[in-house]
Amino acid sequence: MGWLIYTAILTVLIAATLRMLPNPPLTDRAKLWRDKGTFFKFGKHDIFYIDEKGRHPDKGTVLIFHGFPTSSYDWIKVLDDLKSEFSQVVLYDLLGFGFSDKPMDGYAFTMSEQTDIGEALLLKLGITEAHILAHDYGDTVALELLARHNKGESKIKILSLCLSNGGIFPETNKPMLIQWILKNPVIGNVIPTFFYFKSIFKISLGRAFGLRPSDEEFDDFFTIKLHKDGHMADSRLLNYISERSINRDRWVGALQTTKVPVHMIYGPADVINPPAFIQFYKEKCSNPSINGAENQKIGHYPQFEAPKDFFVAYRTFITAKRP
């Protein structure tokens, strides 16, 4: 018992020391990504967003949601291709992620508020209808927006919805061990401090990839993650796992009953949403449209691991379903 107490005290002391150290500077690529965007105020919070003009003035707007624990930077490899398919491409960092604010002191992040931010951003830009493209955590934000759309509760009309590798079904979602640890109310606020060590961060995030990023790309993810102490928000951001179970009927129901064209792009080497997801998706959705990557090594981040294949799959869907 004595060694357990000693270990706990030592862990807390190390964590407290790490909290006092300055965060690493942004990489050059991360700075360039930040410089593409600007901020808008949502309540008390600064929200980072990118609003890029596309090359087709009559093809509408796409709003993009990113995943956990990363940021809008996830979409860097497909942004230029998306601009060739739309008149406007809008991305933003969800609250608690990327360059957006990271409220601390027990702040309760909710999918409802994340969706409110997306709606507010589009309305600020004068947009009342959009295609939605989402990944992972962002899939659940998109489903809340879809639920509002279906019930006539949103000022945003959804033209189409494309999801990718999100844990939309609690039955098939397998959160990684580190996610369960971070959700623990006792140690969840201590463990994130150790993500200050890049090697630990790379091991943790790297498990989600089938085709791993380069060391330089990991550096980009790492410095953006630690910006504004973003790693310290993780334990509270992960409340979305519980929210998905509580709101299953609302969010899965929205997917099952909507008249909006819906598609899923799926990387099969996904340890968080293993391949059993595909059959479950087909069984639960009335008009299941899903595209599994041909390369079986592509994992949880298909838009980053195989950007060209991802874009071709998305373009095929959007071309066929565009009104």
Side-chain angles (χ1 to χ4, degrees):
M1 182 63 70
W3 70 269
L4 283 175
I5 296 174
Y6 173 78
T7 301
I9 293 172
L10 181 61
T11 300
V12 170
L13 288 174
I14 293 173
T17 301
L18 291 174
R19 290 287 287 123
M20 293 187 288
L21 297 176
N23 288 326
L26 293 170
T27 62
D28 289 342
R29 268 195 303 250
K31 289 177 183 177
L32 288 172
W33 187 254
R34 181 192 59 190
D35 292 346
K36 276 181 173 289
T38 186
F39 294 84
F40 83 103
K41 207 74 164 175
F42 181 84
K44 297 179 180 180
H45 308 302
D46 289 325
I47 304 297
F48 174 81
Y49 73 96
I50 294 173
D51 178 12
E52 294 265 301
K53 184 177 181 180
R55 294 190 279 276
H56 283 281
D58 60 343
K59 288 195 173 182
T61 298
V62 60
L63 174 66
I64 302 177
F65 298 126
H66 66 80
F68 176 94
T70 42
S71 71
S72 59
Y73 178 80
D74 300 350
W75 299 96
I76 188 171
K77 294 183 178 182
V78 293
L79 177 57
D80 194 58
D81 283 332
L82 289 171
K83 287 163 62 176
S84 73
E85 195 60 34
F86 291 95
S87 58
Q88 189 173 13
V89 180
V90 180
L91 315 86
Y92 73 100
D93 286 345
L94 295 155
L95 185 64
F97 296 88
F99 298 117
S100 291
D101 278 353
K102 315 313 197 312
M104 299 293 176
D105 300 325
Y107 190 88
F109 296 95
T110 67
M111 285 297 170
S112 179
E113 183 177 39
Q114 301 285 24
T115 309
D116 291 344
I117 295 170
E119 288 183 312
L121 173 57
L122 288 185
L123 294 175
K124 167 188 163 52
L125 297 174
I127 300 165
T128 57
E129 60 179 36
H131 300 272
I132 305 299
L133 176 59
H135 171 246
D136 183 63
Y137 182 104
D139 282 9
T140 306
V141 180
L143 290 182
E144 171 57 25
L145 185 60
L146 184 67
R148 296 180 186 185
H149 169 91
N150 291 351
K151 296 176 181 292
E153 298 170 352
S154 176
K155 294 180 181 179
I156 305 301
K157 178 182 179 182
I158 300 178
L159 301 175
S160 72
L161 171 60
C162 184
L163 308 170
S164 56
N165 284 76
I168 57 177
F169 303 115
E171 297 91 331
T172 60
N173 185 236
K174 307 292 182 185
M176 292 189 293
L177 176 61
I178 187 62
Q179 291 178 303
W180 289 118
I181 292 172
L182 289 171
K183 273 175 59 63
N184 185 287
V186 177
I187 60 174
N189 290 320
V190 176
I191 296 301
T193 58
F194 290 89
F195 290 150
Y196 187 88
F197 295 110
K198 185 167 59 177
S199 58
I200 295 177
F201 175 84
K202 285 177 64 175
I203 291 170
S204 177
L205 181 62
R207 289 195 65 240
F209 287 86
L211 301 178
R212 288 173 63 87
S214 66
D215 288 342
E216 291 78 13
E217 289 168 340
F218 267 124
D219 288 346
D220 299 336
F221 284 121
F222 176 66
T223 60
I224 294 173
K225 182 61 187 177
L226 267 64
H227 185 70
K228 297 183 181 178
D229 290 330
H231 56 307
M232 297 308 299
D234 281 356
S235 61
R236 288 167 291 114
L237 286 168
L238 281 166
N239 184 55
Y240 83 97
I241 295 175
S242 300
E243 277 199 86
R244 277 197 310 225
S245 296
I246 295 168
N247 294 289
R248 184 193 185 283
D249 290 346
R250 175 176 174 83
W251 294 335
V252 176
L255 191 63
Q256 293 172 322
T257 61
T258 191
K259 293 182 172 63
V260 171
V262 178
H263 186 61
M264 171 69 70
I265 299 175
Y266 178 74
D270 187 347
V271 297
I272 303 170
N273 295 292
F277 166 86
I278 296 175
Q279 187 59 35
F280 199 85
Y281 176 85
K282 291 179 178 179
E283 291 172 357
K284 295 300 178 182
C285 296
S286 55
N287 294 297
S289 174
I290 186 167
N291 215 150
E294 291 184 11
N295 186 340
Q296 296 297 303
K297 294 182 179 180
I298 295 171
H300 189 64
Y301 281 83
Q303 79 277 35
F304 199 88
E305 299 175 50
K308 292 301 181 184
D309 292 344
F310 183 95
F311 174 71
V312 168
Y314 182 57
R315 183 180 59 193
T316 300
F317 161 68
I318 203 70
T319 300
K321 299 300 182 181
R322 186 176 263 129

